[in-house]
Amino acid sequence: MINLEDMIGTMVFSSSGNYIVGASERQNAEFQKKCQNKIDINLRDCVELTCVKEMVLTSDNYNDIMQVKGMPGSIFGDKFGYEMQKEITNYMKSYYDGETGKEDIENYFYECCTSMRVYLAQTRQTTGTNEKDNTQILSQIYEMFAKENQRMANYANYQEGLKINGEYGGDKQVVDWCYYNSDYYYQCEETHQFLKDITQKMAEQWSIPAIDTEDVEKKSKLTLDGNFDFNSGWNHHFRRQHSCSSIEDESLAPPKGFKMYYKENHNSSGLGMVAIWAGENKKEIDVPFQIIPGSLRGQIYNVSDLIKFSESETTYWEEYNTFCKNLDIFTRSYAYNCKLY
């Protein structure tokens, strides 16, 4: 006995309109468009069954088709999932570019959950009503959104850094610089919490237990380029890829209005350069790197040893100095020899 109302993913064709059970508005709109283009329903040859709620299906072949195969390890492991992952990336990039807002992200998040559940039900990897399966769907979609939030926050920071590097005469092909803007840290953190909140809203809609987002992140395999916070992603890029700077304590939040730009090779004298913005105040100083035989000490500096702010310069001078102490800048030779890359 099959209850048609429970069959998420079922395609319904009728004179009153075609739709997919449990699909999002966009998914149904796309389905209806395909129907108009590919299916010419002749109402004289079909009938809408408006009163049928359940029916007995005895075909052995049908029962084989309807058998649930079980959920995949990752819902993003096939073409459908890969395309969704790319679209999530594009949505988060658009968000950090200022082209879309939180409401757009929320709506698309819900759409991803709904569309993925319909797809997995149609491919008989779940019924669409199984609590454990729905928990996996929601958990992995949260994981992907949260990861792309970190990546796109760092990408936006990097793109802004490229412009600053160009203003200082840097070649974008030479990766001897780093840039940190605390605005992206706070936007990343705020959006991270926002994604947690809408995940719980979705769990309530699906009548499943609240998602343990901390556990999802802890068990995630998407951590080669940092965790789900801005600072760890920044460290991956500028410590391990550009190999010129490092945040010592990734859990330490920067003061608002903090920015840093550092370049290893600033002029023909071989000096580096670091600039720090504390709100509207800016300090800039050469970095006197030294090549000392048998030692790497002259190739690394803590930023607080080069630049300090006073009470007369900015209200939050202590916070700025504390975060400067959390940042090291060094030559790529130092990074290579200390295996920081």
Side-chain angles (χ1 to χ4, degrees):
M1 188 78 70
I2 294 179
N3 189 334
L4 298 181
E5 291 182 339
D6 291 339
M7 293 297 293
I8 291 174
T10 299
M11 297 179 182
V12 178
F13 302 90
S14 74
S15 59
S16 59
N18 307 325
Y19 63 93
I20 301 174
V21 177
S24 65
E25 290 184 9
R26 188 176 82 159
Q27 200 172 17
N28 270 325
E30 292 174 351
F31 173 66
Q32 289 157 9
K33 185 177 180 181
K34 289 180 180 178
C35 289
Q36 291 174 354
N37 294 336
K38 298 182 179 180
I39 302 176
D40 182 15
I41 298 178
N42 189 329
L43 298 180
R44 293 174 300 176
D45 299 329
C46 65
V47 61
E48 179 181 3
L49 303 178
T50 58
C51 300
V52 177
K53 296 298 183 183
E54 60 187 30
M55 63 177 65
V56 178
L57 298 167
T58 59
S59 168
D60 291 337
N61 290 336
Y62 190 90
N63 290 334
D64 289 341
I65 293 172
M66 295 307 294
Q67 184 177 358
V68 175
K69 296 178 288 188
M71 290 284 286
S74 170
I75 61 175
F76 295 100
D78 61 9
K79 182 179 179 181
F80 183 87
Y82 179 67
E83 291 299 323
M84 180 178 286
Q85 180 180 344
K86 288 197 300 182
E87 196 167 21
I88 290 172
T89 300
N90 291 335
Y91 261 83
M92 296 311 299
K93 181 180 183 301
S94 177
Y95 171 70
Y96 277 97
D97 287 343
E99 298 171 356
T100 58
K102 283 185 176 179
E103 184 177 353
D104 301 296
I105 296 300
E106 182 171 6
N107 290 337
Y108 182 61
F109 182 93
Y110 295 153
E111 184 178 307
C112 284
C113 295
T114 303
S115 299
M116 181 59 76
R117 183 172 69 162
V118 166
Y119 168 73
L120 292 172
Q122 288 178 335
T123 54
R124 303 312 298 157
Q125 297 176 80
T126 182
T127 61
T129 58
N130 182 283
E131 181 180 291
K132 181 180 178 182
D133 294 348
N134 286 343
T135 296
Q136 179 184 343
I137 293 169
L138 183 50
S139 296
Q140 292 187 349
I141 286 178
Y142 163 75
E143 179 186 20
M144 189 59 66
F145 267 87
K147 186 62 191 185
E148 291 305 319
N149 173 55
Q150 183 263 86
R151 287 171 174 161
M152 291 303 106
N154 271 283
Y155 180 77
N157 177 82
Y158 181 79
Q159 292 301 309
E160 187 171 293
L162 272 177
K163 294 179 182 178
I164 300 295
N165 185 52
E167 292 171 3
Y168 278 95
D171 184 342
K172 65 180 181 179
Q173 302 298 325
V174 181
V175 290
D176 64 345
W177 60 274
C178 74
Y179 179 74
Y180 188 104
N181 185 340
S182 65
D183 289 349
Y184 295 111
Y185 170 91
Y186 284 102
Q187 186 177 4
C188 183
E189 288 295 300
E190 181 183 341
T191 307
H192 191 189
Q193 183 58 52
F194 171 71
L195 291 170
K196 292 182 179 183
D197 294 341
I198 62 178
T199 297
Q200 305 313 336
K201 289 182 183 178
M202 192 75 239
E204 292 177 8
Q205 288 184 29
W206 280 0
S207 299
I208 60 176
I211 303 299
D212 188 343
T213 54
E214 299 298 328
D215 189 59
V216 170
E217 295 178 17
K218 182 179 179 181
K219 294 177 179 177
S220 177
K221 296 179 180 179
L222 307 178
T223 54
L224 290 178
D225 58 347
N227 295 314
F228 293 80
D229 61 289
F230 180 82
N231 283 349
S232 65
W234 190 93
N235 254 349
H236 167 77
H237 199 96
F238 291 110
R239 177 201 287 170
R240 298 169 66 182
Q241 292 186 321
H242 279 214
S243 303
C244 63
S245 186
S246 177
I247 297 174
E248 293 184 9
D249 181 1
E250 294 176 353
S251 67
L252 182 65
K256 292 186 177 181
F258 176 90
K259 291 191 292 186
M260 178 187 77
Y261 169 76
Y262 155 66
K263 184 172 176 59
E264 179 183 342
N265 299 298
H266 181 51
N267 53 42
S268 58
S269 66
L271 298 176
M273 185 278 294
V274 62
I276 300 290
W277 289 259
E280 297 299 320
N281 296 298
K282 177 184 176 183
K283 288 191 173 185
E284 186 176 309
I285 191 171
D286 288 334
V287 183
F289 288 125
Q290 302 177 48
I291 306 300
I292 303 173
S295 174
L296 295 172
R297 291 182 58 188
Q299 298 184 53
I300 181 171
Y301 285 91
N302 186 268
V303 174
S304 67
D305 292 333
L306 300 169
I307 292 179
K308 285 186 172 63
F309 291 91
S310 66
E311 187 174 3
S312 62
E313 293 173 312
T314 177
T315 304
Y316 303 102
W317 61 281
E318 291 179 308
E319 287 86 347
Y320 284 106
N321 289 341
T322 297
F323 199 71
C324 284
K325 194 173 183 178
N326 198 37
L327 289 162
D328 291 326
I329 53 176
F330 38 81
T331 65
R332 282 177 292 174
S333 174
Y334 177 89
Y336 176 78
N337 283 282
C338 293
K339 293 181 169 42
L340 297 178
Y341 50 88

